[in-house]
Amino acid sequence: MTKKITISDVAKKAEVSKSTVSQFLNERFDYMGDETRARINKAITELGYQPNVVARSLKLKSTSTIGVIVANILHAYSTQVIRAIENVCNENGISTIICNADDNPQKERKYIETLLAKQVDGLIVVPLKGNLEIYKKLLKQDFPIVFLDRLVEGLDAETVILDNERASELAVNHLLENGYKKIAIVTASLTDSVTPRIERINGYKKALEKNGITVQEEYIKGMELDSFDQGLDELFSLDIKPDAIISGNDLSLMEILKYTFENDIRVGKDTGLITVDEVSFGPIHSPPLTTIAQPTFEMGMEVATILLDKIKDKKLKQDSVVHRHEPSLIIRNSTKKEGEPSE
Amino acid sequence: MTKKITISDVAKKAEVSKSTVSQFLNERFDYMGDETRARINKAITELGYQPNVVARSLKLKSTSTIGVIVANILHAYSTQVIRAIENVCNENGISTIICNADDNPQKERKYIETLLAKQVDGLIVVPLKGNLEIYKKLLKQDFPIVFLDRLVEGLDAETVILDNERASELAVNHLLENGYKKIAIVTASLTDSVTPRIERINGYKKALEKNGITVQEEYIKGMELDSFDQGLDELFSLDIKPDAIISGNDLSLMEILKYTFENDIRVGKDTGLITVDEVSFGPIHSPPLTTIAQPTFEMGMEVATILLDKIKDKKLKQDSVVHRHEPSLIIRNSTKKEGEPSE
DNA sequence: CTGAAAGCGCTTACAG
DNA sequence: CTGAAAGCGCTTACAG
């Protein structure tokens, strides 16, 4: 590597002080005469000078960078939300460092530490169970942080999250309206009491009750992704089989579709199917899949906007507001008993 | 924010100099007595001290961070390769900053500049057309950079890339073996001569010729994703329609599936279909989709390993090696004329 | 309008 | 074994 040009080189070449060059870089042009300005400009382009933002960050105690830690990047939700976050950050001249905790609290912890050591100006996190103390510490020192998708038990923090109960309600009502009566719900593991899963099940129960239907506990399945086959076997071996399934998210949907495919269960005909999370292949699946879409773009925008506001306005105390977003129903054919085309 | 603890605070508390604390932080314990070491350790934990890596980076002229710029994050290829890159970087204590150029050379240029200003130690880029000069400049100053997925015309740089011609050959041979005779290839726009698209078409032509089949130019379609409908209309209005389609990548596959779905063209029966890029729903689509998988994980590992080696070993001149990776054929039912189950 | 000086939080020769 | 000093490349009062 050829050696880097620094502000000193520019100052020397333009025959001014470093201070003045710095003022130029920060566009405070009234701090210098027109010809000085021109000289500096010339020197910069001739030398191909690029400021070193590491030095700048050190001095300013701000890196114009935020960290985003998602629990699991495999969810389409994560990538979509991340894209929205990046959009608003970009527009504001903020860089983002994305980290995938891979559902592992240790990893998450390590990422938080690394990001803090890197002096990020703020953090967006889809939290995992087990790092409560760290979150608390950060909140106590008023470090800018906003949570996404999940509530943390015992923590009073600003969070952007889906109205999960409403999502289930949409699903249940839609299924009932289409003549399904024995509705099951299948989600990923409940052992870590991940908010969306818990709330979606609660919403499912409430919606059934509202419709005067008794909740059957056997119709509620929460399990690790790799034991879906077994769980679905159980479900479909019940004396009274369900006639429709609500899938908790996109990853559980994949497992369900694998299962129905392998076991020749015809979606739509043999079982209704609706999933939370819109999926890319929803419209082209046969039958096309009815889904409950999350407004991922909106949610990403909001969480980023909140964080950037917090960063700008440091005095702004952490207010522990929970921002709920509305899911929306996308009706396609997997919830039509006859499986006839919708057009 | 409560004020940050610095190395000075630790030094004061432990009653040693900053130098010694620094030696401690860098685990050079033979530079101090055992009790000194213990005192420092105590001070650090009591104060909850976290080193500031920005300051460290400034001094060391190394940020332990690399930048990754992908042309378009929407490709499954991008996200998979990124995950592999992150894995090897993580293992080596290197952070990654991911940027999505969104097929926009200006954006790519801006990202490169931002990343350089942030003093990243190296760059992995899936290049776009139009930034040749920047690449050249970086290579000339021996800045560690490795390219991925695409060759840059006029540039002699280390690149990790699929054996795209082989991918097409696999596809063509497989289709021919399964009785398809009139094979078309459909890819995203060719106007920017993106390497994989060009090479896949070349490979397609070569493979046909090798099999003694004349190339029909009408069977080769390269177009923007949003004009696929029209292009496919043309294709299926030909006097002699193709009986099989090779899809250039995952995004073009989506368009093709949308088209066949909307036009009631039965994949497998009415037209064979094979795509480069394995897709999540491949196995559960009806019919299940035959694909040509890229070894994305391997490719990500290799590109990261090469870059980290370059960074470690600065003298290592840029060697312009092109590392080709083998695609593999995953046979499923979309290339079976009868559409019968494969089991 | 311009510059000298101090300082951001580290690291690393160097001296003792 | 330990510390004082210089320096990484910036920014920003402050003085003139």
Side-chain angles (χ1 to χ4, degrees), chain A residues 1 4 52-54 58 65 73-74 83 90 95 111 117-119 141 143 254 257 261 280 284 286 288, chain B residues 1 4 52-54 58 65 73-74 83 90 95 111 117-119 141 143 254 257 261 280 284 286 288:
Chain A
M1 296 262 329
K4 293 256 175 165
N52 178 329
V53 311
V54 172
L58 177 59
T65 302
I73 193 94
L74 291 176
R83 235 170 278 151
N90 255 334
S95 302
Y111 277 130
K118 277 183 177 294
Q119 313 298 116
Q141 45 187 49
F143 183 82
M254 288 306 296
L257 289 176
F261 178 79
S280 64
I284 53 166
S286 39
Chain B
M1 296 263 326
K4 293 255 175 166
N52 179 328
V53 311
V54 172
L58 177 59
T65 302
I73 193 95
L74 290 176
R83 234 169 279 151
N90 255 334
S95 302
Y111 277 130
K118 277 184 178 293
Q119 313 297 119
Q141 45 188 49
F143 182 83
M254 288 307 296
L257 289 176
F261 178 79
S280 64
I284 54 165
S286 38

Side-chain angles (χ1 to χ4, degrees), chain B residues 5-173:
Chain B
I5 312 288
T6 73
I7 200 172
S8 298
D9 300 317
V10 176
K12 212 167 295 165
K13 178 134 191 165
E15 297 180 296
V16 295
S17 73
K18 291 190 298 171
S19 326
T20 308
V21 177
S22 175
Q23 302 293 15
F24 178 96
L25 295 175
N26 290 285
E27 300 182 319
R28 291 188 279 261
F29 299 126
D30 29 338
Y31 279 58
M32 70 203 70
D34 280 354
E35 44 169 351
T36 312
R37 175 174 172 180
R39 274 211 315 285
I40 295 175
N41 193 42
K42 188 155 160 276
I44 286 177
T45 53
E46 280 181 18
L47 292 169
Y49 168 71
Q50 297 271 46
N52 179 328
V53 311
V54 172
R56 181 163 213 271
S57 297
L58 177 59
K59 181 64 193 177
L60 295 186
K61 292 160 168 301
S62 154
T63 51
S64 295
T65 302
I66 66 160
V68 181
I69 306 179
V70 297
N72 188 336
I73 193 95
L74 290 176
H75 287 285
Y77 176 81
S78 304
T79 56
Q80 286 162 23
V81 152
I82 286 170
R83 234 169 279 151
I85 293 173
E86 284 178 331
N87 279 354
V88 349
C89 285
N90 255 334
E91 282 165 15
N92 289 275
I94 304 291
S95 302
T96 48
I97 301 184
I98 312 299
C99 304
N100 172 24
D102 212 8
D103 284 330
N104 179 341
Q106 264 93 289
K107 265 199 189 179
E108 181 185 89
R109 176 191 204 100
K110 213 195 124 212
Y111 277 130
I112 294 178
E113 281 165 4
T114 307
L115 290 171
L116 292 178
K118 277 184 178 293
Q119 313 297 119
V120 293
D121 295 340
L123 234 34
I124 292 172
V125 6
V126 177
L128 254 24
K129 197 157 189 155
N131 288 326
L132 179 61
E133 290 314 315
I134 304 184
Y135 306 147
K136 274 194 175 157
K137 202 184 99 197
L138 289 172
L139 288 174
K140 215 180 67 199
Q141 45 188 49
D142 270 330
F143 182 83
I145 183 168
V146 187
F147 292 89
L148 184 63
D149 187 54
R150 301 172 179 187
L151 265 14
V152 181
E153 215 178 330
L155 201 72
D156 205 22
E158 192 147 10
T159 307
V160 173
I161 186 172
L162 187 73
D163 186 341
N164 288 298
E165 297 202 351
R166 174 72 181 140
S168 300
E169 190 183 19
L170 282 173
V172 168
N173 288 349

Side-chain angles (χ1 to χ4, degrees), chain B residues 274-323:
Chain B
I274 182 170
T275 187
V276 181
D277 284 332
E278 167 69 335
V279 290
S280 64
F281 57 93
I284 54 165
H285 190 268
S286 38
L289 302 171
T290 298
T291 63
I292 307 277
Q294 303 198 44
T296 50
F297 203 75
E298 259 181 62
M299 293 174 84
M301 300 254 291
E302 179 167 44
V303 75
T305 307
I306 291 173
L307 182 64
L308 296 191
D309 283 351
K310 267 197 209 300
I311 291 172
K312 264 179 233 142
D313 215 8
K314 281 275 179 61
K315 323 108 214 169
L316 223 77
K317 269 273 163 244
Q318 293 276 4
D319 30 341
S320 51
V321 187
V322 173
H323 305 264

Side-chain angles (χ1 to χ4, degrees), chain A residues 48-336:
Chain A
Y49 168 71
Q50 296 271 45
N52 178 329
V53 311
V54 172
R56 180 163 214 270
S57 297
L58 177 59
K59 180 65 192 177
L60 295 187
K61 291 162 168 301
S62 154
T63 51
S64 294
T65 302
I66 65 161
V68 180
I69 306 179
V70 297
N72 188 336
I73 193 94
L74 291 176
H75 287 285
Y77 176 81
S78 305
T79 56
Q80 286 162 23
V81 153
I82 286 169
R83 235 170 278 151
I85 293 173
E86 284 177 331
N87 278 354
V88 350
C89 285
N90 255 334
E91 281 165 16
N92 289 274
I94 304 290
S95 302
T96 48
I97 301 183
I98 311 299
C99 304
N100 172 24
D102 212 9
D103 284 330
N104 178 341
Q106 264 93 289
K107 265 199 187 179
E108 181 184 88
R109 177 192 204 98
K110 211 194 126 213
Y111 277 130
I112 294 179
E113 281 165 4
T114 307
L115 290 171
L116 291 178
K118 277 183 177 294
Q119 313 298 116
V120 293
D121 295 340
L123 234 34
I124 292 173
V125 6
V126 177
L128 252 24
K129 196 157 189 154
N131 287 327
L132 180 60
E133 290 314 315
I134 304 185
Y135 306 147
K136 274 194 175 158
K137 202 184 101 197
L138 289 173
L139 288 173
K140 215 179 69 199
Q141 45 187 49
D142 271 329
F143 183 82
I145 183 169
V146 186
F147 292 89
L148 183 64
D149 188 53
R150 302 172 179 188
L151 266 14
V152 181
E153 215 178 330
L155 200 72
D156 205 21
E158 193 147 9
T159 307
V160 173
I161 186 173
L162 187 73
D163 186 341
N164 288 297
E165 296 203 351
R166 175 72 180 140
S168 300
E169 191 183 18
L170 283 173
V172 168
N173 289 349
H174 174 70
L175 288 170
L176 292 175
E177 281 162 20
N178 280 269
Y180 296 99
K181 296 203 161 54
K182 292 163 291 177
I183 302 172
I185 184 166
V186 178
T187 83
S189 172
L190 299 171
T191 49
D192 284 338
S193 42
V194 176
T195 313
R197 301 174 197 166
I198 301 294
E199 292 185 342
R200 285 170 200 173
I201 287 180
N202 287 342
Y204 157 86
K205 290 181 181 168
K206 285 187 193 170
L208 286 181
E209 282 161 6
K210 235 191 251 180
N211 284 282
I213 298 174
T214 313
V215 172
Q216 306 287 119
E217 288 296 335
E218 320 87 84
Y219 283 1
I220 303 179
K221 288 276 175 194
M223 53 218 170
E224 299 295 336
L225 287 177
D226 55 17
S227 30
F228 259 57
D229 272 10
Q230 191 196 325
L232 291 169
D233 265 343
E234 287 164 22
L235 199 57
F236 283 103
S237 312
L238 290 173
D239 283 346
I240 304 180
K241 293 191 197 21
D243 60 5
I245 296 181
I246 300 175
S247 153
N249 65 34
D250 57 341
L251 298 188
S252 59
L253 174 71
M254 288 306 296
E255 298 305 321
I256 295 169
L257 289 176
K258 247 182 256 172
Y259 182 86
T260 53
F261 178 79
E262 282 163 10
N263 293 275
D264 280 319
I265 297 173
R266 290 163 305 172
V267 170
K269 285 185 133 89
D270 301 329
T271 179
L273 178 60
I274 183 169
T275 187
V276 181
D277 285 332
E278 167 68 335
V279 290
S280 64
F281 57 93
I284 53 166
H285 191 267
S286 39
L289 302 171
T290 298
T291 63
I292 308 277
Q294 302 198 46
T296 49
F297 203 75
E298 259 180 62
M299 294 174 83
M301 301 254 289
E302 178 167 45
V303 75
T305 307
I306 292 173
L307 182 64
L308 296 191
D309 283 350
K310 266 196 211 299
I311 291 172
K312 266 179 231 143
D313 215 7
K314 281 275 179 61
K315 323 108 215 169
L316 225 75
K317 268 272 161 246
Q318 292 276 4
D319 30 341
S320 51
V321 186
V322 174
H323 305 264
R324 290 281 177 180
H325 283 247
E326 272 295 294
S328 56
L329 176 66
I330 301 178
I331 301 176
R332 288 193 280 249
N333 289 12
S334 64
T335 47
K336 296 236 167 99

Side-chain angles (χ1 to χ4, degrees), chain A residues 1-21:
Chain A
M1 296 262 329
T2 59
K3 85 168 219 328
K4 293 256 175 165
I5 313 287
T6 73
I7 200 172
S8 299
D9 301 316
V10 176
K12 213 167 294 166
K13 177 133 191 167
E15 297 180 297
V16 294
S17 73
K18 292 191 297 172
S19 325
T20 306
V21 177

